[in-house]
Amino acid sequence: MTAKQKIRRLAAWSIVVACGVMALKFVAWRMTGSVALYSDALESIVNVIAAGAAFWAISVSHKPADSDHQYGHHKAEYFSAVLEGVLIVGAALLIIAAVWQSIQNPAPLDQAWEGLAVNGLAATINGAWALLLIRTGRLYRSPALEADGKHVMTDVVTSVGVIVGLVAAVATGWYLLDPLLALIVALNILWQGWKVIGSSLDGLMDRAVPIEENMRIRDIISANSKGALEIHDLRTRIAGRATFIEFHMVVDADMTVGESHAICDRIEEALRADDASVRVVIHVEPEDEAKLPKGTPAVPFA
């Protein structure tokens, strides 16, 4: 099975898992009447919508380049992640509204232990699925899949906090904990939504690769640029799974096109061996375009 097929299959199954978990959480809420469990269930609606958006974005992002999108459709996944962040914030505001109503009239919970057990089962399923999504999203550099996994993991943390707090509320009889827990859930969701949106906007703004990756790219280019005189103006940007790399390579003015092309091929093959998703553009220049003093040893970066 190819990476594309694995990512799409996981994205499709995310919708099924999200629907199942949402159903369990609404059952738990109906059994108990807890506003905290209601807030947890509301976030699950967002999970379902976000899973659907992620599946759409992943499907679009894997389409090959065409005449209208000559660099591919990789950034489609960022739109999904931004939508997910906005939905998270919307869910948080709905929870805060429910908290305001409940905090004025705190009430005992019905079937508390049974409802908490159902919610615990939903959290366990979510936790296992979130780890799988995050690990696969990072492995195949899928922002939408990783964002979906992080959101689901936020839901898991929320559920665990709610369960622990409600156990304390039932044990002590202090049922004001129920709306207070829901408020904490809402604030946590707001923070997570902001982080998801911020990370996605970085991608839409063509953010460069991290410094560690940049240094690795420089090392690979240096190790495979024998015959060139200088490398300068290295630029990178990340677009979903793809990393775009561009730089200028200075060669002897008397070097043939075929010889300079062979150096370019060697560098490109080495970069793709390190990361199959890279897209490389090399601009070949004669030696009078060098930025370093003539005769500088080796092939340094200017």
Side-chain angles (χ1 to χ4, degrees), residues 114-253:
E114 294 86 346
L116 288 173
V118 172
N119 211 64
L121 174 61
T124 301
I125 295 171
N126 252 1
W129 191 251
L131 289 174
L132 179 61
L133 290 178
I134 293 171
R135 185 171 66 249
T136 307
R138 288 175 178 170
L139 178 63
Y140 296 111
R141 301 183 67 174
S142 171
L145 206 62
E146 185 177 352
D148 195 26
K150 287 180 177 178
H151 178 203
V152 174
M153 185 57 75
T154 301
D155 193 22
V156 174
V157 174
T158 297
S159 296
V160 171
V162 166
I163 290 170
V164 171
L166 288 180
V167 167
V170 174
T172 62
W174 194 37
Y175 290 103
L176 187 61
L177 273 175
D178 184 24
L180 290 178
L181 281 170
L183 180 60
I184 293 172
V185 169
L187 295 176
N188 179 57
I189 292 173
L190 280 173
W191 171 242
Q192 294 300 326
W194 173 251
K195 288 200 297 184
V196 169
I197 292 172
S199 175
S200 301
L201 290 178
D202 274 345
L204 290 172
M205 294 297 291
D206 289 334
R207 185 173 185 173
V209 300
I211 185 64
E212 298 82 4
E213 188 172 349
N214 183 277
M215 295 306 296
R216 189 175 72 254
I217 289 170
R218 290 167 67 96
D219 290 342
I220 292 171
I221 294 172
S222 293
N224 292 276
S225 55
K226 183 179 179 181
L229 301 176
E230 178 185 292
I231 304 294
H232 61 245
D233 291 348
L234 172 65
R235 290 181 291 184
T236 62
R237 66 183 178 92
I238 301 172
R241 302 177 312 283
T243 297
F244 290 82
I245 302 172
E246 179 183 339
F247 58 89
H248 293 202
M249 183 179 76
V250 178
V251 299
D252 191 302

Side-chain angles (χ1 to χ4, degrees), residues 34-75:
S34 164
V35 69
L37 292 183
Y38 171 68
S39 69
D40 207 9
L42 269 182
E43 189 180 2
S44 292
I45 296 177
V46 179
N47 288 351
V48 173
I49 298 172
F55 179 74
W56 168 84
I58 288 169
S59 298
V60 172
S61 73
H62 280 89
K63 289 182 178 180
D66 54 38
S67 59
D68 292 326
H69 305 89
Q70 298 177 1
Y71 289 93
H73 300 77
H74 308 94
K75 287 190 177 183

